[in-house]
């Protein structure tokens, strides 16, 4: 039951991120980063739009999806979240790059399908598994030092 709740919350948070991602990507791709004006504009636009979505998703996942498993050291957690998110972004960028440059499918619709359907599904699967098993692992939370522990009794964080 807990896994189902996490999956549903992850999907809802991801939905907000998806709307942000697609909106920012499409606006950038059709204006400032149009492939007609900027070589590699689609990849740059996707990198920017995904970064915006990652920031929104961190807040939603930290406080809602995995709220009970977040740790007191939010800086380390944020770095781990960012690393996993970048990995997921690279999956989406690989799908976009393959479709755009190898297959020659270059319309806005083609770019959106390759990055925001195929890339999103594959990247989301990678992210959920790594968020659950690494970033927000209940095992890591149980081993965490309480917030009110004396400063000199806290272990040095390791990545």
């Amino acid at each position: 039951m807990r896994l189902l709740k996490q999956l549903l919350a992850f999907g809802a948070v991801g939905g907000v991120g998806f709307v942000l991602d697609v909106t920012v990507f499409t606006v950038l791709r059709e204006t400032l980063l149009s492939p007609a004006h900027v070589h590699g504009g689609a990849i740059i636009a996707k990198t920017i739009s995904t970064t915006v979505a990652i920031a929104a998703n961190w807040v939603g996942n930290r406080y809602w999806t995995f709220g009970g498993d977040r740790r007191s050291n939010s800086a380390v957690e944020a770095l781990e979240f960012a690393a996993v998110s970048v990995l997921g972004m690279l999956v989406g960028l690989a799908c976009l790059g393959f479709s755009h440059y190898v297959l020659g499918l270059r319309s806005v619709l083609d770019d959106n399908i390759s990055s925001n359907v195929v890339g999103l599904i594959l990247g989301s699967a990678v992210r959920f598994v790594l968020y659950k098993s690494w970033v927000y692992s209940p095992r890591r939370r149980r081993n965490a030092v309480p917030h009110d522990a004396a400063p000199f009794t806290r272990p040095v964080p390791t990545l």
Side-chain angles (χ1 to χ4, degrees):
M1 187 62 163
R2 182 171 190 239
L3 177 61
L4 179 61
K5 286 180 182 179
Q6 285 180 326
L7 282 169
L8 291 173
F10 182 77
V13 169
V16 170
F18 176 77
V19 169
L20 283 170
D21 194 354
V22 171
T23 302
V24 172
F25 173 75
T26 303
V27 167
L28 288 175
R29 188 179 178 301
E30 289 298 302
T31 59
L32 300 172
L33 297 172
S34 167
H37 299 99
V38 178
H39 179 70
I43 297 294
I44 296 167
K46 186 61 182 173
T47 303
I48 293 168
S49 68
T50 302
T51 302
V52 169
I54 287 170
N57 288 346
W58 182 68
V59 173
N61 282 311
R62 175 172 169 70
Y63 292 101
W64 186 32
T65 308
F66 302 105
D69 295 322
R70 69 180 191 259
R71 298 181 314 244
S72 59
N73 191 340
S74 61
V76 171
E77 187 180 276
L79 286 173
E80 292 171 356
F81 187 92
V84 170
S85 295
V86 167
L87 180 61
M89 177 177 69
L90 291 174
V91 170
L93 287 172
C95 292
L96 174 61
F98 182 78
S99 170
H100 196 87
Y101 296 109
V102 176
L103 299 179
L105 303 171
R106 295 191 171 111
S107 74
V108 174
L109 179 62
D110 294 335
D111 285 349
N112 272 297
I113 290 171
S114 64
S115 64
N116 295 319
V117 177
V118 178
L120 179 71
I121 291 168
L122 295 175
S124 292
V126 167
R127 284 189 292 269
F128 183 79
V129 167
L130 290 175
Y131 292 155
K132 180 143 183 68
S133 65
W134 181 46
V135 178
Y136 297 108
S137 170
R139 174 185 44 82
R140 294 179 80 191
R141 181 181 50 86
R142 276 187 239 118
N143 294 333
V145 175
H147 292 280
D148 60 350
F152 298 108
T153 62
R154 289 182 176 214
V156 176
T158 58
L159 293 176

